[in-house]
Amino acid sequence: MQLSAVRELGNVRKWRQVLTPLNIISTLPLFFAMLCGGYLSYRYNILLRENRDLVVHTYQVINAIDGLLIRLEDAETGQRGYIITGDASYLAPYERTSVDLPNALAELDRLVVDSHPQLSRIASLRAAVTAKIDELGMTIALRRNKGFDAARSAVITNDGKRTMDEIRAIVGTMTAEEKRLLDKRTADTAKTERL
């Protein structure tokens, strides 16, 4: 029992030699440096995660825009096939697009809710898309009810082409804005990684 008490006393003396006021004061800068380093590491980790999330979000917006344009082009291709052949199986892409478009536009609204210029473009896009779907539906109805020549006469007016060109211009502007944001966000992520 006395041997363990002697060992305890020896340990206490060793600690007193190590924990002198001078040693404590000299280790405080190291302690604060470690504390600041830990905080900065944590903070930059959060910033990096936020920047990466923004990059992913930008890709989601670009994919949603591209998907909308592809659906419209497919619907237009189906309309042309039906007008030329009279075969109703060509209308499947048009019918799918007619059903999917409201959801696709709502998804775009949700994705760009934080960007007023993009929301404004979506409003213009929505009007153009509605006009395009109406034009496709009208020419399909003409083909179905009045035949090829009536549908051809409606297509020759180029209203559908002008509307599709307007849609492509809006989509191009929206995509260019997202790519600009992507470049900025990618640069911000790289800067945060370097820090």
Side-chain angles (χ1 to χ4, degrees), residues 107-167:
E107 176 67 8
L108 261 177
D109 275 335
R110 184 189 67 76
L111 287 170
V112 299
V113 73
D114 60 338
S115 172
H116 183 69
Q118 290 290 61
L119 284 173
S120 174
R121 290 179 190 112
I122 288 176
S124 299
L125 181 62
R126 181 175 273 113
V129 164
T130 300
K132 183 63 184 173
I133 291 297
D134 290 347
E135 177 265 330
L136 293 174
M138 188 246 339
T139 56
I140 289 168
L142 282 172
R143 175 65 168 102
R144 184 176 292 139
N145 300 326
K146 296 187 178 183
F148 174 78
D149 289 332
R152 182 182 175 281
S153 295
V155 171
I156 287 176
T157 66
N158 283 331
D159 288 341
K161 181 185 179 319
R162 280 191 291 276
T163 304
M164 200 63 181
D165 289 344
E166 179 185 355
I167 290 168

Side-chain angles (χ1 to χ4, degrees), residues 16-179:
R16 282 188 183 158
Q17 289 172 350
V18 171
L19 294 175
T20 65
L22 181 62
N23 285 346
I24 291 173
I25 292 172
S26 64
T27 59
L28 281 179
L30 177 62
F31 173 75
F32 285 120
M34 288 175 49
L35 188 64
C36 288
Y39 170 76
L40 290 174
S41 175
Y42 173 76
R43 181 69 186 126
Y44 282 115
N45 206 358
I46 289 174
L47 285 173
L48 186 59
R49 190 174 326 124
E50 288 171 357
N51 288 341
R52 285 185 180 159
D53 288 347
L54 288 173
V55 168
V56 168
H57 175 78
T58 305
Y59 278 117
Q60 289 172 334
V61 174
I62 291 170
N63 287 338
I65 293 168
D66 289 345
L68 181 76
L69 184 60
I70 289 168
R71 284 185 183 108
L72 283 170
E73 289 171 342
D74 287 349
E76 190 175 50
T77 301
Q79 171 236 22
R80 287 177 189 156
Y82 176 70
I83 288 174
I84 293 169
T85 66
D87 182 354
S89 67
Y90 282 94
L91 294 177
Y94 164 77
E95 291 165 352
R96 266 193 318 273
T97 298
S98 296
V99 171
D100 291 346
L101 275 177
N103 291 336
L105 287 166
E107 176 67 8
L108 261 177
D109 275 335
R110 184 189 67 76
L111 287 170
V112 299
V113 73
D114 60 338
S115 172
H116 183 69
Q118 290 290 61
L119 284 173
S120 174
R121 290 179 190 112
I122 288 176
S124 299
L125 181 62
R126 181 175 273 113
V129 164
T130 300
K132 183 63 184 173
I133 291 297
D134 290 347
E135 177 265 330
L136 293 174
M138 188 246 339
T139 56
I140 289 168
L142 282 172
R143 175 65 168 102
R144 184 176 292 139
N145 300 326
K146 296 187 178 183
F148 174 78
D149 289 332
R152 182 182 175 281
S153 295
V155 171
I156 287 176
T157 66
N158 283 331
D159 288 341
K161 181 185 179 319
R162 280 191 291 276
T163 304
M164 200 63 181
D165 289 344
E166 179 185 355
I167 290 168
R168 284 188 181 99
I170 295 167
V171 163
T173 303
M174 291 180 73
T175 302
E177 173 63 15
E178 291 302 317
K179 287 183 178 178

